[in-house]
Amino acid sequence: MATQGSSSERPVEEATPARGVEPSAAALVVDGLSKRFGSGADAVTAVDNVSFSVGRGSVVGLLGPNGAGKTTTIKCILGMVLPDEGSVHIQGVDVYQEPRSACADVDAMLEGARNDYWRLTVQENLRYFATIGGVDPDSVSDRHDRLLDQLDLAEKADQPVRSLSRGMKQKVSLASVLATDASVIFLDEPTLGLDVESSLTLRRELRRIVEERDLTVILSSHDMDVIEAVCDRVVIMNEGEVIANDAVGRLLSDFETQRVRVTSADIDDHLQRELGTRFEVTDVSTVDAATRIEVTTDSDGLYELFDVLRVNDVRLDAMTTVEPDLEDVFVRLTSAERR
Amino acid sequence: MSRHRASEGDGGQPDETEPRSATHYHLARAVLYREYLIFVRYPANAIGGIVISLFFFGLLFYGGRMIAGQALTDSLEGIIVGYFLWTLSVGAYSSISNDIGSEVQWGTLERHIMTPFGFAPVALLKGVAKVVRTFITSALVLAVMLVITDTTLQLPVATIVLVSTLSICSVLGLGFAAGGIAVLYKRIGNWLNLLQFGFVLLISAPAFDLGWTGFLPLAQGSALLQRAMVDGTRLWEFPLVDLAVLVVVAAGYLLGGYAVFEAATRRARRLGVLGDY
C-alpha cells in the first residue's frame, strides 16, 4: 500500500510524550488529558491520560475503533468538552485559560455534524464562516474560488447545500472549514459515510490543500486508508488510551517482513497443524486448488519455516512477504493490548 | 498566530489579495445578511406564523363577540394591542430558542463558540434580526386586525417601536435561557414552547396597579404600549420611573437569560453533551 504521507518532507514529531515539550514549540501539545463520563459504578473513562504533541505544518492522524475516544479527545482539545485532568496548548496558548485566543487560529469539522447551513448556498457558507472565523470574506474571495475548484464545487457554488448529495455536502463542510484561513484544522471522521470515489477525491484534495497552505491538521478516522494516505504521523488510540504514537512510515517499517505468505498444493492438514504449533498463522485460504497460508514470524523464524517446508517436501508455488499496512499495525497493537 | 498569513497558491503564485481581519462590522453584516436570506428565501415560516396568528385572533374576536357581545367591543382596543405584543413576543421567543436548538443540531453552535468573536455577539445580532423580523410580521397582523375589527388605534411609531423592542428584550432573555436549557437537556423544546402561553398572563398583568408586577417580563411594556396605542401617550410623556423600570427589566432579563445560556453551555461542556442532539 502506498504511503504517500510518510514520503513527504513535512516535519514529523518524535514519538515522545508531550510532557516536557515546550508548548510554544509545537502547534498542539496535549498533556495528561483524562475525561470520565458518569459516576460510581457506571463511570466510563472515555479519555485516559492522553499525551501527544503535533508539530507545526504536520498532519497527524488519530486512529482507533469506534469508542476509542478520538472524538472526545478532539472535543477536549477544542474545549467543547471540559476534561477532568490535563492541559492543552494550541500554538502555545492554554485552551482552558484563554479559550478565545487559543482557538483564534483553529477550525474544526466535527463528526456527525453538518457544520454549515444547508439553507445557504455553498458560496454563502464559505463567506459566512470566513467572517465568523475572523477573515474579511472579500479579501479571500480568490482563495474561496480556488478552494471550490479544488474540491470540485465550483459549479455548485450558487446552489443551496441542502440540494447537494451526501458527498458534496461533506466537501462543503470541509470547504467551510478551510475557508476560514485557520492554520490549525481538526477533521473528525471527514470521510465518514462517503462512497469510495468521493472518499478518494476528498483525501487527495485534502492532502494537496494541506501541503499548499502549510496547514497543521489533526484528523481522526477509523479508516486506516485515509490516515495512511493523508497523515505523516499517527496516534493510535484504544479504549481511551494512546497505544502508539509514531510516523506512519516508521510504524509500517517496524512491522515489515514479519508476515510471509506461502502458497503450495502440498500443504495438507497435518502440515497446517504443524505450522500452527510453531508459528502464528494469521490466514489460511485456498487458491486454485493450492493452499495459501500466511504466517507471522521474525527473521530467525524464517529459517525455521524453510526447514519445515523442506522436511515436508513442500514444492512452493509462491512465497511472498506481505507488506504491512496500518490495519496490520493496528490489529497487532490492539491485540497486544488485550493480552 | 498566523490567522491572516500570506500563502501561495497553485504553482507557487501568491494570492492576489492578502487576507484582512474581519471586524465586528463584518460580523454584523454576515449574521444579519444570513438572517435576511433565510427570511426571504424561506418565507413559509413567516407566512405560516401570520396565518396562524390571524386564525387565532379571528377565533378570539368572532367567538368572543358571540359570547360577550358589547363587553368585548368595549375592550377591543386593549385586546388588539395585547395580541400585537403577544405575537411579537412569541415570534422573538420561539425563534431565538428554536434557533439555538437548530445550531446545536447542525454542529454550528460549537463552531461559533470557538471563533475569535465567540457566540455572544452572534446571538445578540440574531436577536436583533429576530426582533426586526417579528416586527414586520406582527405589523401585518396588526394591520389586518384593525381592518377586521374596524378599529382605530393611535400609532406613534417611535414610541411603539421603542417600547415594544424593550418589552421583547425581556422575552429574548427568556428565549436564551430556554435555548440554554435545551442545550443541556435536549428535546424539551416543545415543553419550553408552552411558556409562550404564559406571556398572555404577563401581558395582562396590572403593572401600574400592582407595582411589583412591572418587574415581570412584558408586564411594564404591555402597560406602556396600551397607553401609547389606546390613549396616544408619547414616549416623552411617560413618567421617567416607568421608562426606567422598562429599561431595567429589559436589560435584566436579557443579560440574565444570556447568563443562564452561558452557564448551561458550560455545564453541557462539562457533561460532554454540548454537540449532542
Side-chain angles (χ1 to χ4, degrees), chain B residues 24 27-36 39 88 91-93 95-97 99-100 119-137 161 164-166 168-173 175-176 254 258:
Chain B
H24 279 89
L27 181 73
R29 199 178 62 175
V31 175
L32 295 177
Y33 184 58
R34 176 186 166 267
E35 294 292 323
Y36 165 76
F39 183 55
L88 272 176
Y93 170 81
S95 57
I96 203 80
S97 59
D99 212 52
I100 289 170
F119 187 64
V122 174
L124 187 69
L125 288 161
K126 274 171 175 282
V128 171
K130 306 299 181 198
V131 169
V132 172
R133 201 178 83 173
T134 47
F135 255 112
I136 293 169
T137 53
V161 169
S164 303
T165 303
L166 287 168
I168 300 169
C169 280
S170 58
V171 175
L172 282 178
F176 277 124
L254 187 60
Y258 193 76

Side-chain angles (χ1 to χ4, degrees), chain A residues 18-31:
Chain A
R19 272 177 218 289
V21 173
E22 178 59 42
S24 61
L28 171 69
V29 177
V30 179
D31 190 3

Side-chain angles (χ1 to χ4, degrees), chain A residues 61-339:
Chain A
L62 272 183
L63 179 65
N66 291 333
K70 307 184 297 290
T71 298
T72 308
T73 300
I74 286 182
K75 288 194 171 184
C76 281
I77 291 170
L78 294 169
M80 297 297 113
V81 171
L82 298 175
D84 299 320
E85 289 170 46
S87 68
V88 175
H89 288 81
I90 297 177
Q91 318 245 56
V93 184
D94 190 317
V95 170
Y96 307 121
Q97 299 295 323
E98 301 171 70
R100 197 66 55 75
S101 306
C103 291
D105 201 22
V106 174
D107 208 343
M109 175 180 169
L110 297 174
E111 181 200 0
R114 288 161 46 163
N115 276 301
D116 46 30
Y117 295 116
W118 286 4
R119 290 190 286 184
L120 298 184
T121 67
V122 176
Q123 185 82 262
E124 286 161 359
N125 266 289
L126 263 56
R127 289 182 62 83
Y128 181 83
F129 284 104
T131 309
I132 67 163
V135 183
D136 174 2
D138 292 332
S139 70
V140 286
S141 55
D142 297 329
R143 180 178 294 185
H144 285 180
D145 289 342
R146 199 164 58 245
L147 194 57
L148 292 172
D149 280 336
Q150 286 170 326
L151 291 173
D152 207 17
L153 287 167
E155 285 181 13
K156 312 282 184 187
D158 295 322
Q159 284 189 27
V161 178
R162 69 190 311 174
S163 69
L164 303 179
S165 67
R166 167 88 193 244
M168 285 287 186
K169 281 175 179 154
Q170 200 95 331
K171 284 184 185 178
V172 176
S173 187
L174 177 64
S176 75
V177 170
L178 296 170
T180 64
D181 200 43
S183 68
V184 181
I185 304 282
F186 290 81
L187 303 173
D188 192 10
E189 300 280 5
T191 57
L192 191 70
L194 292 186
D195 58 50
V196 175
E197 192 182 346
S198 299
S199 176
L200 282 170
T201 308
L202 197 73
R203 72 177 81 153
R204 186 177 59 240
E205 292 306 330
L206 176 62
R207 183 75 212 184
R208 197 151 71 100
I209 293 165
V210 160
E211 289 180 355
E212 182 185 304
R213 288 169 56 173
D214 198 26
L215 299 174
T216 302
V217 177
I218 295 87
L219 181 152
S220 91
S221 181
H222 65 272
D223 185 339
M224 327 276 172
D225 292 341
V226 172
I227 300 274
E228 207 170 324
V230 178
C231 299
D232 309 311
R233 203 175 107 231
V234 63
V235 174
I236 300 179
M237 292 187 71
N238 194 35
E239 296 177 355
E241 295 179 357
V242 173
I243 57 172
N245 176 359
D246 212 336
V248 173
R250 203 147 48 209
L251 269 177
L252 293 174
S253 68
D254 283 351
F255 287 82
E256 218 162 17
T257 69
Q258 290 187 324
R259 268 196 305 161
V260 180
R261 193 176 284 156
V262 178
T263 309
S264 170
D266 300 332
I267 300 176
D268 55 18
D269 290 346
H270 169 74
L271 180 57
Q272 278 184 43
R273 277 195 297 277
E274 186 176 348
L275 290 171
T277 59
R278 291 172 175 236
F279 307 99
E280 185 186 339
V281 175
T282 47
D283 190 38
V284 179
S285 57
T286 305
V287 182
D288 297 335
T291 299
R292 186 161 74 187
I293 190 163
E294 198 174 283
V295 298
T296 301
T297 182
D298 54 23
S299 49
D300 288 340
L302 273 178
Y303 294 108
E304 190 182 341
L305 176 63
F306 284 128
D307 285 343
V308 173
L309 296 175
R310 188 168 46 78
V311 167
N312 285 278
D313 290 328
V314 172
R315 196 179 67 236
L316 294 176
D317 292 345
M319 186 167 188
T320 53
T321 56
V322 181
E323 288 294 319
D325 56 21
L326 265 181
E327 190 169 348
D328 300 316
V329 175
F330 178 74
V331 169
R332 286 175 67 83
L333 282 168
T334 50
S335 58
E337 272 277 298
R338 279 194 290 274
R339 283 201 295 272

Side-chain angles (χ1 to χ4, degrees), chain B residues 101-119:
Chain B
S102 299
E103 297 278 359
V104 173
Q105 195 179 355
W106 299 334
T108 42
L109 179 67
E110 290 174 314
R111 284 191 77 178
H112 278 100
I113 286 175
M114 72 173 85
T115 63
F117 295 105
F119 187 64

Side-chain angles (χ1 to χ4, degrees), chain B residues 12 24 50-51 62 68 72 78 80 83 87 99 111 127 135 157 192 200 210 212 220-221 232 257 268-269:
Chain B
H24 279 89
I50 292 170
V51 169
Y62 292 111
L72 181 98
I80 291 174
Y83 198 82
T87 57
D99 212 52
R111 284 191 77 178
F135 255 112
V157 177
L192 293 171
V200 176
L210 282 175
W212 63 269
Q220 182 79 355
R269 286 159 70 195

Side-chain angles (χ1 to χ4, degrees), chain B residues 55-71:
Chain B
F55 174 75
F56 279 110
F57 181 75
L59 277 183
L60 183 74
F61 175 62
Y62 292 111
R65 208 162 59 171
M66 279 172 64
I67 297 166
Q70 187 59 36

